Amino acid sequence: MKTNTDAVLSAKSLRYFLQLIDSMSYTQAAQILGITQPALTQQIKKLERAVGSPLFGQMGKKLYLTNAGLKMEETAKALFSTVNNAVDSIQQYTKSDTGAISLGILSTVEARVIDQFLIEFNQKYPDITLHVGFYNRTELWDKLDNNQLDLAVLYLPDHNATVKNMKQYMAKQIYSESVVFLTHDPEDKFDKMTHHRWVTYPKDYYLPQIVHRFYAGQFVDGKLSTPVTFTSPYQLIKFAEQTDYDTYVSKSFYKAHQAEIALSPVDIKDETNFESCFIYRKNKSEIPRLANFLKEWDKFIDERDYDSRLKNVKVSI
């Protein structure tokens, strides 16, 4: 027997069928649906002809579901659930004010301004779920490459990036950075400091690689003496302050915490310029909520620039 699948999958017939199950009364179901009782009966009979079996039985005045009816109920609910989930997923993908955004931030980036933006963004778009994590550089590029992040905050240029195809990414500048060298004696010159002992980030971190790229020729034997390393700028500062070691941090970190840092910055003729950026796949910019996220960032910075926001960060080391 050939099944009339058009009738079986008619959204109207299935909706009427499920409403009749809820009411177990043709009269009540028809009233709720806003149709006549004969019209409802016609739709149910259409389904029964399609499956070749009665869906409802009757004992006295009471309706009950047959075995075929129970199976059709299960199928109808599963179909509507699938359709509803698909519509919900599509809406979340296409709307600018719903869905989820995953953001990864380099653990050594001064993120207080970004934190403030995320708070304001969440208040404006409470239906967008934000997933934020802090990672090292290798982890971030790997997560971007495997599409596990929508956006990442990283330093550029990154000559040691492990990403397979850099051409597939776009970058949006956050802040123009440089390295700030810190010492105990405000009269110290950089050429004298290169003979000191240093506490720095591990050598595979971005800032040590930038410092080596720009200043290796001025170091004794081409490198700084770094018997101690930390992965956190807070620990670098605290350790340096309580020893005779020198250190360095990003310009943004120094500006945000300058009032709490007892060390003195050293003037450098040639600054090491690099940028903190939002990094994302090119196709991500076509997703409305991500495009909106970046647009809201522009508004946020237009209201008050990044430097001003750094100086107003209310934190202590």
Side-chain angles (χ1 to χ4, degrees):
M1 178 179 179
K2 185 177 179 179
T3 301
N4 186 340
T5 55
D6 288 343
V8 173
L9 297 179
S10 164
K12 180 168 69 174
S13 295
L14 292 177
R15 182 164 61 87
Y16 288 1
F17 169 69
L18 291 176
Q19 182 58 60
L20 183 55
I21 292 174
D22 287 342
S23 304
M24 281 302 179
S25 164
Y26 277 93
T27 302
Q28 290 181 17
Q31 289 176 346
I32 292 171
L33 291 167
I35 61 174
T36 64
Q37 186 173 327
L40 174 59
T41 302
Q42 182 181 8
Q43 290 295 328
I44 299 303
K45 288 187 178 298
K46 183 187 294 186
L47 280 177
E48 289 180 330
R49 287 196 298 271
V51 300
S53 178
L55 300 176
F56 292 92
Q58 190 165 344
M59 293 183 63
K61 294 183 178 181
K62 292 186 177 181
L63 291 177
Y64 67 90
L65 281 171
T66 64
N67 288 337
L70 290 169
K71 182 63 177 178
M72 179 58 70
E73 178 188 23
E74 178 185 338
T75 302
K77 287 182 176 179
L79 284 170
F80 277 112
S81 176
T82 299
V83 171
N84 289 336
N85 288 339
V87 170
D88 182 63
S89 177
I90 292 169
Q91 287 179 340
Q92 287 191 10
Y93 189 87
T94 57
K95 289 185 176 180
S96 63
D97 57 356
T98 59
I101 295 174
S102 57
L103 173 66
I105 302 176
L106 188 65
S107 58
T108 54
V109 165
E110 171 49 57
R112 299 291 179 167
V113 175
I114 297 172
D115 290 344
Q116 186 58 49
F117 167 70
L118 293 176
I119 291 170
E120 294 187 18
F121 184 83
N122 174 253
Q123 291 171 343
K124 190 171 183 179
Y125 300 97
D127 293 328
I128 293 181
T129 303
L130 296 172
H131 301 288
V132 184
F134 289 82
Y135 307 94
N136 65 38
R137 188 169 38 145
T138 301
E139 290 172 331
L140 282 174
W141 282 118
D142 183 63
K143 287 181 179 295
L144 282 172
D145 212 27
N146 289 289
N147 205 28
Q148 295 174 317
L149 288 174
D150 295 315
L151 299 154
V153 178
L154 282 156
Y155 290 135
L156 289 181
D158 191 342
H159 301 286
N160 293 83
T162 57
V163 67
K164 296 173 184 176
N165 182 10
M166 187 65 78
K167 293 181 180 179
Q168 66 184 320
Y169 291 99
M170 296 184 70
K172 182 179 183 65
Q173 183 188 26
I174 296 174
Y175 187 62
S176 181
E177 290 277 10
S178 62
V179 177
V180 176
F181 296 93
L182 299 169
T183 187
H184 295 265
D185 185 351
E187 301 300 321
D188 265 347
K189 302 298 182 182
F190 184 68
D191 57 352
K192 181 180 178 182
M193 288 174 63
T194 59
H195 295 269
H196 295 177
R197 292 185 301 176
W198 292 72
V199 52
T200 72
Y201 295 106
K203 65 180 182 179
D204 60 336
Y205 274 50
Y206 187 86
L207 259 62
Q209 293 179 356
I210 284 290
V211 168
H212 185 269
R213 180 179 293 272
F214 277 82
Y215 299 108
Q218 300 182 48
F219 304 156
V220 177
D221 297 326
K223 60 182 180 179
L224 293 176
S225 173
T226 56
V228 180
T229 63
F230 287 105
T231 59
S232 164
Y234 298 95
Q235 292 172 305
L236 292 178
I237 296 296
K238 284 299 182 185
F239 190 92
E241 287 177 338
Q242 297 175 45
T243 64
D244 62 348
Y245 286 33
D246 291 335
T247 192
Y248 52 79
V249 292
S250 68
K251 180 175 70 173
S252 59
F253 183 86
Y254 180 73
K255 284 195 171 186
H257 304 281
Q258 184 174 357
E260 295 87 30
I261 296 176
L263 302 170
S264 300
V266 176
D267 289 331
I268 301 292
K269 290 182 180 180
D270 300 316
E271 287 191 343
T272 53
N273 295 315
F274 54 99
E275 297 177 347
S276 57
C277 300
F278 287 116
I279 310 295
Y280 52 95
R281 287 175 177 265
K282 289 181 178 179
N283 63 337
K284 293 286 185 179
S285 62
E286 300 173 4
I287 300 175
R289 65 177 175 275
L290 297 180
N292 188 46
F293 180 91
L294 296 172
K295 183 179 178 181
E296 289 295 332
W297 171 262
D298 288 338
K299 292 180 182 177
F300 178 76
I301 294 302
D302 286 343
E303 290 171 2
R304 195 193 321 164
D305 64 69
Y306 202 94
D307 267 317
S308 298
R309 292 183 181 277
L310 281 172
K311 294 173 183 176
N312 285 280
V313 172
K314 303 298 182 183
V315 295
S316 59
I317 296 177

